[in-house]
Amino acid sequence: MPLVFLPTSQLLWVRVAALLFTCIAFSVASHGGYIPQTGMGVWCIFCWAISFTGTLLVLLVELFGLQTRVPISWNNFPITVACYAALFCLSTDHRIVSTVFSCLATVAYMAEVSLSKARPGEVTGYMRTAPGLLKVCQTFVACVIFILVSNPISYEHHPGLKWCMAVYCICFILSMAVVVLCVGECTGCLPISFSKFLSAYGLLAVIMYLSATIIWPVFQFDKQHRYYGDKSNLITVSVLTALNFLLYLADLAYTARLCERFD
């Protein structure tokens, strides 16, 4: 079978660079056979492994021209992988050399996202638009929040904090569902139009995250309430909650202008 090279050579090279950087980061970290099996060590292994595997899959499919044979939307899948991989590699921190190559991989993945995202006026896959990329950022931030509030568990001592956890879970599930539906080309399976679903969910997520942005710091740091867990982690969760609120707000604003393309 003849090879089919990528239509944009820059995409080929940034993907190859990202593949090499993630491979080197993992190899350096594992040199000597010692990688911590808990906490940051496991997280770094997961990030490098999933980024390397996803990029390798994209490269192989496009080099062998198999895009039409895979049961997913190839308009949406590569940029989704690149965006998640950029965030994953950015979050790793294990040994100086590994961290350096993770940062280089982050730059490569960000370059791929920049090359692949939709241009003004271009009709393309949802994940290549600003709202699609924001969905990736929202789910990633939620994952970091889950890690911070779970070790130790810091949301069970007050109903308000349980509500915040419910907000994180519900919005994460719905945002991830949008990503899966777009990559799997299943948006037509919804009982309502995709644009109406995005608008309704976007408004709901903004309201829910606004409440969590207010409630989480009130019940964690108010003098009348004792906070549980590491204080720096709880502060970070407050910041990330506010960040996700802004991401959902921006998502709603973009969706109001763009969702008509995807009815």
Side-chain angles (χ1 to χ4, degrees), residues 14-23 25 43 47-48 51-52 55 79 81-93 97-115 140:
V14 295
R15 285 170 180 164
V16 170
L19 196 71
L20 290 175
F21 292 148
T22 52
C23 182
W43 173 251
C47 290
W48 292 323
S51 301
F52 178 87
T55 305
I79 194 169
V81 169
C83 194
Y84 272 119
L87 295 171
F88 284 150
C89 291
L90 183 63
S91 69
T92 57
D93 181 16
V97 178
S98 295
T99 301
V100 169
F101 278 99
S102 282
C103 290
L104 291 173
T106 300
V107 173
Y109 282 120
M110 291 177 67
E112 180 181 348
V113 171
S114 178
L115 290 169
F140 175 78

Side-chain angles (χ1 to χ4, degrees), residues 1-262:
M1 177 185 297
L3 293 180
V4 179
F5 291 97
L6 299 178
T8 306
S9 60
Q10 288 177 310
L11 273 178
L12 173 63
W13 290 116
V14 295
R15 285 170 180 164
V16 170
L19 196 71
L20 290 175
F21 292 148
T22 52
C23 182
I24 293 172
F26 180 85
S27 299
V28 171
S30 60
H31 179 68
Y34 175 73
I35 298 180
Q37 296 302 305
T38 58
M40 183 56 70
V42 174
W43 173 251
C44 291
I45 293 172
F46 168 79
C47 290
W48 292 323
I50 199 71
S51 301
F52 178 87
T53 303
T55 305
L56 181 61
L57 177 62
V58 170
L59 275 173
L60 290 177
V61 169
E62 294 206 346
L63 285 173
F64 286 96
L66 303 175
Q67 297 94 318
T68 58
R69 300 187 182 184
V70 293
I72 56 176
S73 169
W74 207 253
N75 247 343
N76 292 309
F77 182 74
I79 194 169
T80 304
V81 169
C83 194
Y84 272 119
L87 295 171
F88 284 150
C89 291
L90 183 63
S91 69
T92 57
D93 181 16
H94 184 74
R95 298 187 181 181
I96 294 176
V97 178
S98 295
T99 301
V100 169
F101 278 99
S102 282
C103 290
L104 291 173
T106 300
V107 173
Y109 282 120
M110 291 177 67
E112 180 181 348
V113 171
S114 178
L115 290 169
S116 301
K117 69 180 182 180
R119 301 295 182 262
E122 181 182 0
V123 178
T124 185
Y126 179 78
M127 296 306 299
R128 294 175 63 187
T129 65
L133 296 176
L134 285 170
K135 293 290 189 301
V136 173
C137 295
Q138 293 158 9
T139 54
F140 175 78
V141 171
C143 285
V144 177
I145 290 175
F146 293 149
I147 294 172
L148 294 176
V149 301
S150 300
N151 189 24
I153 295 175
S154 55
Y155 55 86
E156 290 190 332
H157 60 282
H158 194 281
L161 299 177
K162 292 180 180 179
W163 162 252
C164 293
M165 193 63 186
V167 170
Y168 304 145
C169 292
I170 293 170
C171 293
F172 170 81
I173 291 171
L174 291 176
S175 289
M176 185 56 70
V178 171
V179 174
V180 173
L181 286 172
C182 291
V183 172
E185 293 189 316
C186 300
T187 56
C189 299
L190 294 171
I192 59 175
S193 70
F194 188 49
S195 61
K196 290 181 179 179
F197 171 77
L198 291 174
S199 298
Y201 158 55
L203 180 59
L204 176 65
V206 166
I207 295 172
M208 293 176 70
Y209 255 96
L210 177 59
S211 69
T213 301
I214 298 170
I215 293 173
W216 180 267
V218 167
F219 288 106
Q220 287 289 12
F221 304 112
D222 188 87
K223 293 181 179 179
Q224 297 180 359
H225 303 88
R226 177 186 173 191
Y227 66 84
Y228 292 75
D230 184 88
K231 189 173 183 178
S232 62
N233 282 357
L234 300 179
I235 293 173
T236 304
V237 171
S238 298
V239 174
L240 292 177
T241 301
L243 173 61
N244 239 5
F245 166 69
L246 295 176
L247 291 175
Y248 277 105
L249 188 62
D251 187 0
L252 181 62
Y254 275 113
T255 298
R257 294 188 300 170
L258 297 179
C259 65
E260 290 183 0
R261 299 182 187 179
F262 303 97

